[in-house]
Amino acid sequence: MWQSFTQWMSDWSFFSILIRLILAWVIGFAIGINRERNNRSAGIRTHVLVCIGAALVMMTGQYVFLHFPGANGDVARLGAQVISGIGFLGAGTIIVTQRRHIRGLTTAAGLWACACTGLAIGIGFIEGTIIAVILIIVTLSLMSVAEKNLRNDERHFDLYVELKAGQNTRALMRFFVKHRITFTEFNLMPGTSPEEGTALTVNISLERNFSLEQFLKELEQIDEIEFFEII
């Protein structure tokens, strides 16, 4: 039965085209919802559009191959352009924070993977698509939990901090002293304009009785800090 279904999906008919595009929508939604929950720049709509667009491009290549056999076309040629061309959209999700720290790499990789699944579903490769989507969702969802748990056990790490405009590091230093936090490699990078706050990177060593979760929670309470994250 499954073999008949996949064979039917590979055939060229109105209903197979309809099912492929619906599956592309579902796949894009499933991948995008993880990014949406994490407030990333590319969310559900972006991933849905990428997946549907990639599926449509792949089906267009198949259409050209089937209906214009004398055109010396390659059914995979348009799909190859999607794989290389998706880079411009992925690059748009990669941002460099105020002081040269890169963010958005996972979102960019997710967009690229979403486009690849769209191509697979567009040509009717159902088995590979389902396996790939499961692995992608597991990677984005469960692995983020695992990374968080691993980080909670970390004692030594690098911290990136952006201060609000006009603020200095006094409150942050008091916080370090209060909790006996050892810090080295303190790199201060003043803003280039009055509207741009100071940024810094620092290597942190926590005491055994002070967890990373507690450290981050209390760091959020410092009003002078605009943004921070572990790098």
Side-chain angles (χ1 to χ4, degrees):
M1 182 177 178
W2 174 255
Q3 190 174 5
S4 300
F5 173 73
T6 55
Q7 179 61 43
W8 175 76
M9 283 290 293
S10 300
D11 293 337
W12 189 262
S13 68
F14 172 79
F15 289 106
S16 70
I17 294 169
L18 178 64
I19 296 300
R20 291 186 210 181
L21 289 174
I22 291 175
L23 284 175
W25 186 94
V26 172
I27 290 166
F29 183 90
I31 297 174
I33 196 169
N34 175 273
R35 300 288 86 193
E36 191 79 39
R37 286 173 176 171
N38 288 280
N39 296 316
R40 300 306 182 187
S41 53
I44 294 174
R45 289 178 299 176
T46 304
H47 283 80
V48 166
L49 291 174
V50 165
C51 201
I52 290 177
L56 182 61
V57 166
M58 200 63 182
M59 286 189 290
T60 302
Q62 186 180 8
Y63 178 87
V64 171
F65 180 79
L66 292 173
H67 291 81
F68 301 95
N72 295 322
D74 180 0
V75 69
R77 182 174 296 174
L78 289 175
Q81 299 307 309
V82 171
I83 293 176
S84 59
I86 194 66
F88 86 93
L89 188 59
T93 68
I94 300 173
I95 62 172
V96 180
T97 57
Q98 184 180 347
R99 294 299 181 272
R100 301 189 302 275
H101 181 48
I102 298 174
R103 302 185 68 201
L105 289 174
T106 302
T107 300
L111 282 172
W112 184 83
C114 188
C116 293
T117 58
L119 293 175
I121 200 69
I123 202 63
F125 184 27
I126 307 300
E127 304 97 318
T129 303
I130 292 174
I131 294 171
V133 170
I134 291 173
L135 292 176
I136 290 170
I137 293 174
V138 167
T139 300
L140 291 176
S141 301
L142 300 184
M143 292 301 179
S144 62
V145 176
E147 287 178 352
K148 183 178 180 182
N149 291 334
L150 287 173
R151 280 191 168 182
N152 283 336
D153 294 330
E154 285 187 3
R155 300 283 97 200
H156 310 282
F157 54 89
D158 291 322
L159 181 71
Y160 172 82
V161 179
E162 291 181 4
L163 301 175
K164 295 179 181 178
Q167 300 297 330
N168 55 45
T169 61
R170 291 177 185 172
L172 184 62
M173 293 299 103
R174 286 196 297 267
F175 171 75
F176 289 163
V177 172
K178 175 183 176 182
H179 295 286
R180 299 179 180 178
I181 297 171
T182 304
F183 58 93
T184 58
E185 300 180 18
F186 192 94
N187 298 312
L188 195 63
M189 296 163 279
T192 57
S193 66
E195 295 78 20
E196 198 175 63
T198 299
L200 59 98
T201 58
V202 56
N203 182 266
I204 299 293
S205 296
L206 298 179
E207 295 286 334
R208 284 291 176 186
N209 59 349
F210 195 50
S211 68
L212 177 61
E213 184 179 5
Q214 184 181 357
F215 170 81
L216 296 176
K217 187 178 296 185
E218 295 199 22
L219 201 62
E220 289 178 350
Q221 307 305 315
I222 301 178
D223 294 333
E224 289 81 357
I225 294 178
E226 179 73 27
F227 169 81
F228 70 87
E229 69 175 336
I230 295 174
I231 57 176

